Amino acid sequence: MRAVRFQGVGRPPMVCDVPKPDVGPGQILVKMGGAGLCSSDLHLLHQDFGLPCPFTFGHENAGWVSDLGAGVTGFKEGDAVAVYICWGCGRCHNCQQSAENYCETAGLGDMGGIGQDGGMAEYMLVPTSRLLVPLGDLQPRKAAPLNDAALTPYHAIKRVLPYLHADATAVILGIGGLGHMAVQLMRILAPVRIIAGDVDSIKLAHARELGADYAVNTRDADSAAEEIRKITGGRGVDVVLDCAGVQPTFDLAPRILKANSQWMVVGLGGGVHKYEHGSLPYGVSLTLPFGGTRLELMEVIAMARDGRIHVDTTEFPLEAAADAFAKLEAGQIKGRAVFNPELV
């Protein structure tokens, strides 16, 4: 079967022929309908995380059950499913609360698409049915990015809901795959003023279409900080949700946060904050939420099924991997790029 493979840091993604996986006891083989391309996939190409290679890319995955291993119950062949992004041990305290994203024993390299074979292929082997969530009538190629692009900001926003009151202001930095979902979710979950920040005017216009109250170009940090301060009457913002995590957004956030506020970093862009007394207003919490729970994925899928949120997607065949990765790195993807194995 065809698969988009990680060959090592500094090497481009490769479309390869690999054996179709055999299904063992307790495992499920999923015929892929869609696999999202995330900025995290770019980071794998440029930064050494110590992951084994090669492996198949793709941690935002959805498709149809193709084959069931011995002992698997609750699913049948043909069922449309999403593959939960976070593969925990299933036994520790956090996993038992559905929070496999904070598994006490699993590491970064234990995820499908990040260290283990993911879904940028014709088929994907899932180790346990615990990691599958039914999609109902959602199309897998449309639902695949929900596993990260929607789940991650949803989890982050839920963690700071007490700060998102009717007189609060939230800034969402980076209106890409994560950010365009964050705007929609923030609009649904909280009665706040939403400021979208990005360096791309097209993405800012997209944010306004999705429900942002203000759109601020952050290319000039001084002007952006002044404009955001003006919007908030000089008080600063209650929540910064950084969906980029690059150095410019790390530099901007401390300048716009108010006292007793929340700085949530969900983008993995490599930004650094040098903490020292006075580097942040008093009472600010800097948090690094990761993924979301399986239960939250069920909730995100329910919102998508009801039409309350949607992922803007651009589809690519597996053979166009190099082109898709290049377009994402150049900032030319609106919403999310999705690999559809049925395209040629």
Side-chain angles (χ1 to χ4, degrees):
M1 68 174 187
R2 297 165 301 152
V4 182
R5 304 279 280 175
F6 172 73
Q7 302 287 343
V9 177
R11 300 181 62 185
M14 297 287 292
V15 181
C16 306
D17 287 322
V18 298
K20 181 180 175 181
D22 294 322
V23 182
Q27 298 176 333
I28 305 94
L29 187 66
V30 176
K31 177 179 169 56
M32 295 307 300
L37 174 60
C38 176
S39 293
S40 299
D41 297 312
L42 297 179
H43 301 325
L44 296 180
L45 295 177
H46 302 311
Q47 184 175 348
D48 189 356
F49 293 97
L51 300 176
C53 68
F55 59 82
T56 299
F57 281 106
H59 58 271
E60 295 182 334
N61 305 307
W64 302 271
V65 173
S66 176
D67 197 4
L68 302 167
V72 176
T73 61
F75 293 94
K76 65 182 186 302
E77 290 184 19
D79 284 348
V81 293
V83 182
Y84 175 51
I85 181 177
C86 301
W87 294 9
C89 69
R91 299 179 299 275
C92 70
H93 186 269
N94 287 340
C95 284
Q96 287 294 304
Q97 297 184 88
S98 178
E100 298 198 31
N101 50 321
Y102 298 125
C103 177
E104 297 166 16
T105 60
L108 182 65
D110 295 313
M111 296 170 56
I114 304 179
Q116 307 297 317
D117 285 339
M120 289 186 194
E122 294 179 78
Y123 291 88
M124 177 181 182
L125 187 65
V126 180
T128 170
S129 61
R130 187 184 75 249
L131 301 175
L132 298 182
V133 176
L135 287 178
D137 58 0
L138 278 180
Q139 295 179 339
R141 60 189 177 84
K142 291 294 186 182
L146 296 173
N147 290 281
D148 186 5
L151 176 61
T152 297
Y154 181 62
H155 174 69
I157 293 167
K158 285 182 66 176
R159 287 176 65 112
V160 294
L161 282 177
Y163 291 81
L164 298 174
H165 52 80
D167 192 33
T169 303
V171 170
I172 299 170
L173 297 176
I175 312 301
L178 292 171
H180 92 287
M181 296 306 302
V183 172
Q184 297 176 64
L185 291 163
M186 190 79 74
R187 188 78 288 157
I188 292 170
L189 294 172
V192 296
R193 289 178 293 274
I194 300 174
I195 302 173
D198 202 289
V199 298
D200 187 324
S201 60
I202 295 176
K203 292 181 178 180
L204 289 174
H206 188 207
R208 291 299 299 267
E209 293 171 1
L210 295 172
D213 298 295
Y214 302 91
V216 175
N217 193 303
T218 57
R219 189 173 297 278
D220 184 318
D222 291 337
S223 297
E226 182 180 353
E227 185 173 353
I228 292 170
R229 284 280 177 181
K230 183 177 180 180
I231 292 170
T232 63
R235 294 182 299 171
V237 304
D238 300 84
V239 171
V240 168
L241 183 60
D242 187 348
C243 295
V246 294
Q247 196 57 51
T249 58
F250 263 66
D251 293 339
L252 177 61
R255 302 178 62 180
I256 59 177
L257 286 160
K258 64 187 289 189
N260 193 33
S261 60
Q262 294 283 323
W263 180 7
M264 309 286 285
V265 180
V266 299
L268 303 177
V272 176
H273 175 71
K274 181 181 178 182
Y275 174 78
E276 57 188 5
H277 191 269
S279 66
L280 291 171
Y282 285 115
V284 169
S285 293
L286 171 57
T287 311
L288 306 176
F290 179 72
T293 70
R294 183 180 181 276
L295 177 59
E296 288 169 337
L297 178 56
M298 295 171 65
E299 294 168 355
V300 163
I301 288 172
M303 284 188 282
R305 189 184 298 122
D306 292 344
R308 288 176 282 169
I309 60 173
H310 70 279
V311 186
D312 289 293
T313 60
T314 303
E315 295 185 25
F316 294 85
L318 294 173
E319 286 76 11
D323 182 44
F325 273 73
K327 280 184 165 60
L328 178 62
E329 190 146 29
Q332 296 173 353
I333 298 295
K334 178 182 178 181
R336 209 47 142 193
V338 173
F339 287 101
N340 180 351
E342 296 183 345
L343 294 178
V344 292

